[in-house]
Amino acid sequence: MQLQFLLVQSLLWAVTVASSSGQSYSVTASRAATAKACTKLAQKYPSLTLLPNTTEYDAQVAHVWSQTCVLYPYCVFEPETAKHVSGALAILKETKTQFAIRSGGHLAKPGSNGITNGVLIATVRLQTLELINNNKVARLGAGLRWGTVYNYTSQRGLAIAGGRFGDVGVPGLLLGGGINWFGSEKGWSFNSVVNFEVVLADGSIVNANASGRYSDLFWALKGGHNNFGIVTRFDCTTFPVTNMYGGLVMYTYTPENYDAYLHAVANYIDPRGGSSDVRSAIDPITVVNPSTGEYIVANFFAHRSADPAPACFSNFTNVNATVSTLRVSPDLNTFQIEANDPQFADRSQRQLAWVTGLKAQAESVYLANRTFTEMAFSRLGNLPNLTTSITYQPVTKSWLQAAKAAGGDALDLDPANGGFIVLQIATVWQNAQHDSIVAKFSTDVVAAIDARAKAAGLHYPFNYINDAGFSQKIYSLYGGDRSLPKLKKIAKKYDPNEVFQKLQPGGFKLSAEW
């Protein structure tokens, strides 16, 4: 197994997914109920319903980011319009059939975007892509990937604060938050959404936005995941980007050079450091192979300017690099070339991530690195064909202020508490027999980091849903536990019979934290 290949896996992990061991958390539906539903779907929508033993069905089953998430639905439904979604939902409710929704398939929690024996609704044909309001708003169908979006907007000199890797699907990112290259200016990716087209539990198709009758739903969808309806279109604000500096840098590993790298990361993340430049962003990652002792150390840099040497990154110039693609690109799509590499779309591995929050201080970086390194080698050293990684994703005070200025969201994180690090531990492996070992390591290493961080006054109580592990709490940490009662009330209002809690059981359910 090539460590270079595993860096590709780990880098995409750093921005997209959550996971599980793949053994105890899959979702299985009743075959009898589903048989009726699939028969009705095939009768009403014969060209949109895929059955087993067909090439199209097999392609959808396999289209998940982690091999822990390969599940076999009774049939697959591929709607082309919101009306198709509404019609299918009526059949699923009538037959009391459980279902799952899949767009990009990157949330690698088994059952979140797949189901055994139930109906899989794949949004791949929801491909709306157009500009409205004098190009100030882009309408994005729920079947799009960010690479396609950026290719379209960049031809017009525009960008959206969306996903950092082209293979990531639009819906999952926007319903969970969205760490992006422009966060310190724009907030979370979902703060750029001005309207959601949503199919509600009763089958109605509504537009949820800040000023309409569904303004409460609009707020809840920004961080509420799949608990309120099926979003079929996202209307997002655009902004001009005609120059972007940055690229991928890979660093030589020696203890001395790695120490210099960690200091550079820590100094950038410190609120007085490079992260104070709101036009900048980094995505630093360390990947280790515990069985061989090998390291890969890398960082993605981004700066919204034509400056060929932004001062905010100056601490990194003293770190010896082996590969660098740093440059000024004419648009966002060109800037994304490395992140859109086909290797980042590989879905042949088993994947698991766990997440926590640390205050944006230099010592947080050192504490997390020490704990991760100690435990990775002591707990995983006898497992071949495995790598594990640690990624420091800065969310600045300016980021949280931008989120508030955009109207707020269910996360409701107070800028007065300062910025923080979305710290992700991600593991990539091949052998299914190692699933439980990896899951135990993931929970334990984050628990150890949390314990040490709390003792040092560095813990930040927030778990980013798009990187979260299968048993982690999410909604009770939103807004210091202020958001959960409001989310529950909104869910009861629009889904009184709990269709999206019971018939769509996968993902991170509000009912698990009520």
Side-chain angles (χ1 to χ4, degrees):
M1 179 173 58
Q2 297 179 355
L3 205 58
Q4 179 83 12
F5 168 79
L6 289 167
L7 168 67
V8 169
Q9 299 298 306
S10 299
L11 282 170
L12 187 49
W13 251 118
V15 297
T16 60
V17 294
S19 180
S20 145
S21 68
Q23 295 182 335
S24 304
Y25 295 88
S26 60
V27 175
T28 302
S30 164
R31 285 184 64 86
T34 311
K36 295 179 183 179
C38 288
T39 297
K40 288 178 177 289
L41 286 170
Q43 290 172 344
K44 188 172 183 179
Y45 307 106
S47 65
L48 306 179
T49 305
L50 312 179
L51 300 175
N53 302 315
T54 63
T55 302
E56 294 81 5
Y57 171 93
D58 292 343
Q60 277 299 341
V61 166
H63 198 66
V64 289
W65 173 240
S66 172
Q67 287 296 299
T68 61
C69 297
V70 176
L71 303 175
Y72 293 89
Y74 199 98
C75 67
V76 177
F77 181 66
E78 295 184 348
E80 293 179 333
T81 67
K83 288 184 178 180
H84 291 158
V85 174
S86 177
L89 187 59
I91 291 172
L92 296 172
K93 290 192 299 177
E94 175 193 346
T95 57
K96 296 181 173 58
T97 297
Q98 291 187 316
F99 64 94
I101 309 288
R102 178 186 300 162
S103 53
H106 279 86
L107 184 61
K109 178 182 180 182
S112 60
N113 46 43
I115 192 166
T116 297
N117 293 337
V119 173
L120 172 62
I121 300 177
T123 65
V124 62
R125 301 195 197 194
L126 297 174
Q127 291 286 315
T128 298
L129 183 55
E130 61 183 0
L131 292 166
I132 61 172
N133 296 353
N134 294 319
N135 292 349
K136 294 179 181 178
V137 173
R139 285 180 165 171
L140 309 180
L144 292 172
R145 307 293 180 92
W146 287 107
T148 301
V149 174
Y150 295 151
N151 182 54
Y152 176 81
T153 58
S154 291
Q155 293 176 33
R156 294 149 179 86
L158 300 171
I160 298 171
R164 293 173 295 176
F165 288 77
D167 189 54
V168 174
V170 166
L173 184 96
L174 291 179
L175 293 173
I179 297 177
N180 62 86
W181 300 125
F182 311 101
S184 290
E185 294 183 285
K186 305 295 182 180
W188 304 96
S189 294
F190 60 37
N191 294 127
S192 294
V193 179
V194 294
N195 184 76
F196 298 93
E197 181 186 77
V198 195
V199 178
L200 299 180
D202 63 4
S204 60
I205 303 168
V206 305
N207 285 284
N209 49 63
S211 59
R213 62 179 290 194
Y214 302 101
S215 58
D216 55 349
L217 179 61
F218 177 68
W219 175 87
L221 288 170
K222 292 184 288 183
H225 191 45
N226 63 0
N227 289 284
F228 302 93
I230 303 172
V231 180
T232 52
R233 196 190 72 229
F234 302 79
D235 300 347
C236 302
T237 56
T238 66
F239 54 94
V241 171
T242 53
N243 286 293
M244 280 286 289
Y245 168 85
L248 173 66
V249 179
M250 298 177 65
Y251 297 98
T252 306
Y253 178 77
T254 65
E256 296 78 14
N257 202 52
Y258 186 54
D259 187 61
Y261 167 83
L262 285 176
H263 283 299
V265 172
N267 289 333
Y268 174 88
I269 286 175
D270 187 286
R272 299 163 296 180
S275 62
S276 62
D277 184 339
V278 298
R279 297 172 298 171
S280 72
I282 64 171
D283 186 25
I285 185 170
T286 297
V287 185
V288 300
N289 185 324
S291 68
T292 66
E294 294 176 88
Y295 278 73
I296 286 183
V297 184
N299 191 8
F300 269 106
F301 294 86
H303 197 268
R304 187 186 173 193
S305 77
D307 186 348
C312 58
F313 302 141
S314 60
N315 286 331
F316 289 92
T317 58
N318 296 323
V319 188
N320 295 326
T322 55
V323 174
S324 174
T325 65
L326 293 175
R327 67 205 182 277
V328 175
S329 298
D331 54 58
L332 180 58
N333 194 53
T334 306
F335 167 80
Q336 289 277 134
I337 286 176
E338 289 81 25
N340 292 345
D341 190 290
Q343 289 186 84
F344 285 96
D346 178 81
R347 298 171 179 239
S348 64
Q349 305 291 313
R350 308 182 77 78
Q351 313 270 1
L352 175 67
W354 222 259
V355 72
T356 190
L358 296 173
K359 292 181 180 179
Q361 296 183 24
E363 182 55 34
S364 295
V365 175
Y366 307 136
L367 180 153
N369 177 72
R370 286 194 302 270
T371 309
F372 166 75
T373 303
E374 292 167 6
M375 295 186 68
F377 284 100
S378 65
R379 301 282 291 275
L380 302 175
N382 63 340
L383 301 185
N385 300 320
L386 174 150
T387 64
T388 187
S389 63
I390 183 168
T391 304
Y392 311 89
Q393 302 173 102
V395 175
T396 63
K397 180 178 181 179
S398 296
W399 183 311
L400 301 179
Q401 290 172 332
K404 290 285 187 183
D409 47 71
L411 275 57
D412 193 25
L413 301 176
D414 191 348
N417 294 327
F420 66 99
I421 303 167
V422 173
L423 186 80
Q424 184 204 64
I425 308 298
T427 305
V428 181
W429 74 105
Q430 296 180 355
N431 191 337
Q433 295 181 352
H434 297 157
D435 286 7
S436 60
I437 299 173
V438 173
K440 186 69 165 60
F441 162 74
S442 301
T443 57
D444 288 353
V445 71
V446 167
I449 291 170
D450 285 348
R452 294 180 181 183
K454 289 175 181 177
L458 295 172
H459 182 64
Y460 189 98
F462 173 73
N463 291 328
Y464 176 53
I465 190 172
N466 287 356
D467 288 344
F470 56 83
S471 63
Q472 291 193 277
K473 290 186 177 180
I474 304 297
Y475 309 108
S476 58
L477 299 177
Y478 284 5
D481 202 23
R482 295 184 303 274
S483 293
L484 183 56
K486 186 176 178 181
L487 288 167
K488 179 180 178 180
K489 182 179 179 180
I490 295 169
K492 291 291 186 182
K493 176 181 177 181
Y494 293 106
D495 186 14
N497 296 319
E498 298 187 346
V499 170
F500 297 111
Q501 303 301 312
K502 297 176 179 178
L503 290 187
Q504 188 188 7
F508 292 93
K509 309 314 294 188
L510 279 174
S511 54
E513 298 186 38
W514 286 356

